[in-house]
Amino acid sequence: MKPEQTGLYCCFYQSGEHWSPYSDALHLVMTGSYDKPTLSSMSGTVMASGHNVRLQCFSRIKFEAFILTKEDAPQFTQRKSSTAKDNGQQTTFHLDRVTSTEAGTYRCYGALREDPNVWPHPSDPLQLEVREPPLDPTPTEPEHPQAMDHNQTQDHQSILIGFPVAIVLLLLLSLLLFFILHHRHRKAKKNATETKRQQQQAAGPMDRLASEARDPQDVTYIQVAFNAPTPGTASAPSLLPGPTQASEYATVARR
């Protein structure tokens, strides 16, 4: 392999009088012409998915550009101009929001402007590991103390508001129960009075007076005799009852 053999290559074929289109370009470089640069990670070699990674390539040789490659991924190639630092040249490659796709082995090369396809030996491999988050949801963080105090204050306010409301409801329920019982008592008393009145109306006068007495001894029967005067005896009433005497019985009840 010689430097003049490096560059872009394409192929095509002829079928009869017709020629096929050109194939995709193949970039052919030659390595091992210079000492290898160094590749390091400024963010660590084990990263969580979604983080940013910075890879730095450095060489004492005055390379105008550095090339970053990834093994098993020929389509991945980054080329970036270098800057002077510490009597050498360096550049920083950025990998933003890495995922498991970016995990793998990386190497870097240097190149000169007058011979861009002649590279040094590759740097030592750098293994980048990307860890995906667990499938299970992460545990929720404890609430902020101020948020907890605010929640407790709301709970206390709810208790203070709910307690008087419960007392008012209990009083209303008690009043409703009292009115229902009082109404039933008055209705029962009225029915008893009406029944007693009907019984008294159905009974005779003697039975009604007797029933109103508290004790049978309280009822007294009195015989009243009426002496009617006869003709010719108006001035000297007879002491003995005459034929016109009338008797009447009356029932006297003591109240």
Side-chain angles (χ1 to χ4, degrees):
M1 185 68 183
K2 298 177 182 180
E4 60 268 16
Q5 295 174 331
T6 63
L8 296 177
Y9 286 81
C10 293
C11 71
F12 56 93
Y13 65 89
Q14 181 183 10
S15 177
E17 297 180 356
H18 300 282
W19 293 87
S20 68
Y22 286 99
S23 66
D24 294 334
L26 175 66
H27 187 198
L28 184 63
V29 299
M30 184 181 72
T31 63
S33 300
Y34 310 101
D35 292 336
K36 62 183 179 181
T38 59
L39 180 64
S40 60
S41 175
M42 304 175 64
S43 308
T45 58
V46 179
M47 301 298 299
S49 179
H51 286 202
N52 299 330
V53 179
R54 292 185 299 169
L55 302 179
Q56 188 179 79
C57 192
F58 174 82
S59 177
R60 295 293 180 182
I61 302 174
K62 305 299 183 179
F63 293 117
E64 286 88 8
F66 286 100
I67 302 95
L68 180 68
T69 63
K70 183 174 180 291
E71 289 186 1
D72 301 327
Q75 72 279 3
F76 177 88
T77 301
Q78 288 190 16
R79 189 184 186 98
K80 194 172 183 180
S81 300
S82 65
T83 57
K85 183 178 181 181
D86 298 336
N87 297 324
Q89 297 293 117
Q90 75 169 21
T91 191
T92 302
F93 298 95
H94 296 270
L95 304 177
D96 297 332
R97 298 182 179 275
V98 295
T99 63
S100 58
T101 305
E102 280 74 34
T105 302
Y106 290 84
R107 296 177 186 268
C108 75
Y109 301 85
L112 297 173
R113 183 178 293 108
E114 65 273 9
D115 205 354
N117 298 319
V118 178
W119 295 356
H121 290 286
S123 67
D124 293 333
L126 185 145
Q127 184 69 32
L128 181 63
E129 181 180 353
V130 180
R131 295 182 177 178
E132 296 290 341
L135 297 178
D136 296 335
T138 55
T140 57
E141 297 181 357
E143 295 183 0
H144 194 274
Q146 293 182 355
M148 296 177 64
D149 295 341
H150 180 68
N151 294 336
Q152 292 178 356
T153 302
Q154 289 183 343
D155 293 340
H156 292 164
Q157 292 178 353
S158 300
I159 294 175
L160 293 177
I161 295 174
F163 185 71
V165 173
I167 293 179
V168 172
L169 293 176
L170 184 60
L171 291 176
L172 293 176
L173 184 61
S174 300
L175 290 175
L176 180 61
L177 183 61
F178 171 77
F179 284 123
I180 291 175
L181 295 177
H182 181 68
H183 177 72
R184 289 183 177 179
H185 177 72
R186 292 184 59 185
K187 186 175 181 180
K189 186 176 180 180
K190 182 178 179 181
N191 292 339
T193 304
E194 183 67 20
T195 302
K196 185 176 181 180
R197 186 181 63 81
Q198 293 176 357
Q199 291 177 354
Q200 289 178 356
Q201 290 178 355
M206 298 290 293
D207 295 337
R208 184 170 64 254
L209 292 176
S211 63
E212 291 179 353
R214 296 182 181 179
D215 190 87
Q217 297 178 359
D218 294 339
V219 180
T220 305
Y221 294 92
I222 301 176
Q223 181 180 6
V224 180
F226 297 92
N227 293 325
T230 57
T233 60
S235 60
S238 176
L239 297 177
L240 296 176
T244 59
Q245 283 184 338
S247 298
E248 182 72 22
Y249 289 91
T251 302
V252 180
R254 185 178 61 187
R255 294 184 180 274

